[in-house]
Amino acid sequence: MPPKRKAKKASEKTPATEDSGAGDTATEEKPSPSKKQKIEADGDSGKKGPAKKGKKAPIRKEDTIEPLPEGTDTSFPTEVNPDAKTKDGRKFSLKIASWNLNGIRAWYDKDKMSYIKTESPDILCVQETKCQEDQLPPGVIDKNYHIYWSPAEKAGYAGTGLYSKKKPIKVTYGIGVAKHDDEGRVITAEYEDFFMVNAYVPNSGKGLVRLKYRTEEWDGAFTDYLKKLDAKKPVIMCGDLNVAHTPVDLKNPATNRNKTPGYTDQEREGFTKLLGEGFVDSFRALYPNARDCWSFWTYMMNARAKNIGWRLDYFVISERLQKDLCDSVIQQKVMGSDHCPIMLLMAGLK
């Protein structure tokens, strides 16, 4: 396991230089259309093969979205409700945010830490930092937070970070399996009442070249890791999990199934298995009928303006924390990355 990183305080000098973000060009393949293909009017954020003249691909029942009864509320929160409470009336006391930045240097150039200043989360988990510690813009260090970084060994790739107002009891990096721990994908912070796990799950890649690794190696090892933590105390896990779990978690499931990373049967089954081990998708627990609840839009073909997206970012919590759940928010109006931040509001945790 990589050695423990020391928290960076504002009073400590961090060797870093301003960067234009050029190093953020190394990136993982995201669900996005080929440059040679047009996004259909009904919304397709993935890649499709050339259509055969005179034939249409069959639409399978499992790819369709079941219609809801007339009058069903399909809305969901995009802003934090300052009065959010648990079902038994307890107001939230813990505010946790998660955001895939798609390169912390490029993000900082756009955001200048305005999100942190405005929202002031107790914990902020960031993914896809794509930056070594000595290349971080100095401005990303905030005196109000203890800050931990886990960069990938490969420059300009993956990486995670964690900001915490309260100093954790302990912080660890990776999941304890050497072959999974060189890409800076997991940071775990232990608090009095829970473990906070920040994760950037491997993408299956263009042409699904990493699908076997993702589903046959990573998913099982990561689930085992979370189960071991959960046996000690409850877990809150968040991040870009690189999977749209159900047909309502992406704009066009029929044309993306088993073709596009993030929406293969194997990836979806892996997430189902994780939830079956005593965990809950906090957003769906509160908003089972929500529609168009995307957290990612490709930069290509004006997808965000057309609202052609995917829900790839999650807060997954131990089942026994569900009683403390106040709200799970997708902050779609917040710009600065091809993902938007998500926010979890919890009561009674320290």
Side-chain angles (χ1 to χ4, degrees), residues 39-92:
I39 297 179
E40 300 297 332
D42 63 350
D44 178 12
S45 62
K47 298 181 177 66
K48 297 190 292 184
K52 293 182 179 180
K53 292 183 179 181
K55 291 185 178 181
K56 290 185 177 180
I59 302 298
R60 295 165 288 197
K61 183 177 180 181
E62 57 267 38
D63 297 332
T64 60
I65 298 174
E66 292 293 328
L68 295 169
E70 187 175 351
T72 299
D73 183 6
T74 60
S75 65
F76 59 94
T78 60
E79 297 180 354
V80 174
N81 175 7
D83 298 316
K85 298 177 182 178
T86 61
K87 286 185 178 180
D88 60 7
R90 291 174 292 133
K91 187 174 179 179
F92 76 88

Side-chain angles (χ1 to χ4, degrees), residues 329-346:
V329 183
I330 302 177
Q331 297 179 287
Q332 292 185 331
K333 297 177 184 178
V334 179
M335 309 299 285
S337 171
D338 52 359
H339 292 250
C340 71
I342 58 175
M343 185 81 76
L344 183 73
L345 306 179
M346 301 289 291

Side-chain angles (χ1 to χ4, degrees), residues 2 5 149-150 159-161 171-176 180-181 183-189 196-202 218 222 225-226 229 237:
R5 274 78 164 176
W149 304 107
S150 184
T160 49
V171 175
T172 57
Y173 302 84
I175 61 175
H180 300 314
D181 289 345
E183 295 181 350
R185 293 189 175 276
V186 176
I187 299 177
T188 301
M196 180 76 244
V197 180
N198 177 22
Y200 179 38
V201 171
W218 168 273
F222 187 49
Y225 174 72
L226 295 177
L229 293 179
M237 184 269 284

Side-chain angles (χ1 to χ4, degrees), residues 30-223:
K30 286 287 184 183
S32 59
S34 165
K35 291 182 180 179
K36 296 180 180 179
Q37 297 165 344
K38 180 180 178 182
I39 297 179
E40 300 297 332
D42 63 350
D44 178 12
S45 62
K47 298 181 177 66
K48 297 190 292 184
K52 293 182 179 180
K53 292 183 179 181
K55 291 185 178 181
K56 290 185 177 180
I59 302 298
R60 295 165 288 197
K61 183 177 180 181
E62 57 267 38
D63 297 332
T64 60
I65 298 174
E66 292 293 328
L68 295 169
E70 187 175 351
T72 299
D73 183 6
T74 60
S75 65
F76 59 94
T78 60
E79 297 180 354
V80 174
N81 175 7
D83 298 316
K85 298 177 182 178
T86 61
K87 286 185 178 180
D88 60 7
R90 291 174 292 133
K91 187 174 179 179
F92 76 88
S93 57
L94 184 65
K95 191 176 184 183
I96 307 173
S98 175
W99 198 356
N100 180 318
L101 303 180
N102 191 17
I104 194 167
R105 290 167 290 186
W107 169 81
Y108 179 73
D109 285 344
K110 301 170 189 174
D111 185 86
K112 295 295 189 292
M113 301 290 280
S114 65
Y115 178 78
I116 294 177
K117 294 171 185 175
T118 300
E119 295 291 353
S120 188
D122 297 294
I123 302 170
L124 169 63
C125 297
V126 296
Q127 306 89 40
E128 205 169 1
T129 53
K130 299 195 287 190
C131 188
Q132 304 300 310
E133 286 188 62
D134 61 358
Q135 298 175 335
L136 288 166
V140 303
I141 306 303
D142 188 307
K143 66 181 181 179
N144 297 310
Y145 291 88
H146 302 272
I147 308 174
Y148 306 86
W149 304 107
S150 184
E153 291 182 7
K154 178 181 177 182
Y157 181 77
T160 49
L162 187 147
Y163 291 70
S164 180
K165 287 183 177 179
K166 180 180 179 180
K167 187 175 182 179
I169 297 170
K170 183 180 180 181
V171 175
T172 57
Y173 302 84
I175 61 175
V177 181
K179 65 180 177 180
H180 300 314
D181 289 345
D182 62 355
E183 295 181 350
R185 293 189 175 276
V186 176
I187 299 177
T188 301
E190 181 180 358
Y191 297 91
E192 185 175 340
D193 292 336
F194 66 100
F195 286 105
M196 180 76 244
V197 180
N198 177 22
Y200 179 38
V201 171
N203 190 290
S204 292
K206 185 176 181 180
L208 303 178
V209 294
R210 293 192 90 189
L211 179 63
K212 187 174 181 179
Y213 165 73
R214 157 71 186 273
T215 59
E216 296 183 15
E217 299 183 55
W218 168 273
D219 282 351
F222 187 49
T223 297

